[in-house]
Amino acid sequence: MLILNKTAGVFSKPSKRNMYEFLRSFHFHPGKRFLHKLVLGIETSCDDTAAAVVDETGNVLGEAIHSQTEVHLKTGGIIPPVAQQLHRENIQRIVQEALSASKVSPSELSAIATTIKPGLALSLGVGLSFSLQLVDQLKKPFIPIHHMEAHALTIRLTNKVEFPFLVLLISGGHCLLALVRGVSDFLLLGKSLDIAPGDMLDKVARRLSLIKHPECSTMSGGKAIEHLAKQGNRLHFDFKPPMQHAKNCDFSFSGLRHIIDKMIMQKEKEEGIEKGQILSSAADIAAAVQHTVACHIAKRTHRAILFCKQRDLFCQSNAVLVVSGGVASNLHIRKALEIVTDATQCTLLCPPPRLCTDNGVMIA
Ligand code: KG4
Ligand code: ZN
């Protein structure tokens, strides 16, 4: 979590002159102009530098994103100072691209909205520092945004969803179940007690050296696991979903990860291969891991739905489960959640993949 005064020392301040030159680079001539208020959204909480301009009716006028995934794949995970440096190198260009795509000049903006928490302090600092300079120069209002609230509310851009609805956020950095009662009224029902599912899948993929697999070398860990799982037989391994007897809606992935690690080590011994080489059973392991993660997520979500139903917490007309985050793009996990929502007469909604992962639109 970001504690703002703690990050003050890590801000990478663009100089006043740079910001002035940046603003002078826009040559839009006011003419037709805009009927609605326009917000520029800026996101740098993790490893995506993203910006977008959205009007007050939810129209996306333009957006831009720079993903650092490829760099972090090579180093085997996110190194915060590297992420910070990449944000610094790209933020100005990305904001410029989003504004240019929108045909909006900075002076036409009504406000600037930026993620202030939670996330990597070094990464957040870049977006925040840039935004505060912009706000200062343009004399525009600043809207601080909570990253998770933005993820949870994004579905309202694409679907008409009444409050309250249940949201499941599953990604590399997030894992939570919350009842969304209003724009800034959230009831947290469950969260991961340790790591997020995407983080766990990334670690398992790294342990299986999937980056060396010809079909997976450019994929994130989770995507590589999903890809390989299609070629494997999950019944060859038997991992138990965690927290089977815990009477709450929390999650846990660390214990499962260690069990999988041990099993991979044992298989390496059996196959007589070194750590770093790909096991012949990698696809079977991927399939079993994916299935166990899907079962765990589905079971905890089932508990949350039953809790909300028993207490009449859902919107009267329709019980809705919204699932978002990078892991939500996994079709096996979606299928497991569909089984749960079908059995409980809920509607399952997922934003389109580009809005599931980190982006500037959700912040704007
Ligand atoms: O939402 P996101 O882009 O970034 C944050 O973590 O905030 O999610 C990235 C995570 C990574 O851990 C990645 O391995 C995982 O989502 N992921 C997937 C899939 N695609 C991405 N996990 C499972 N199946 C996928 N198809
Ligand atoms: Zn996120």
Side-chain angles (χ1 to χ4, degrees), residues 147 151 174 358:
H147 183 84
H151 266 307
H174 326 309
D358 291 351

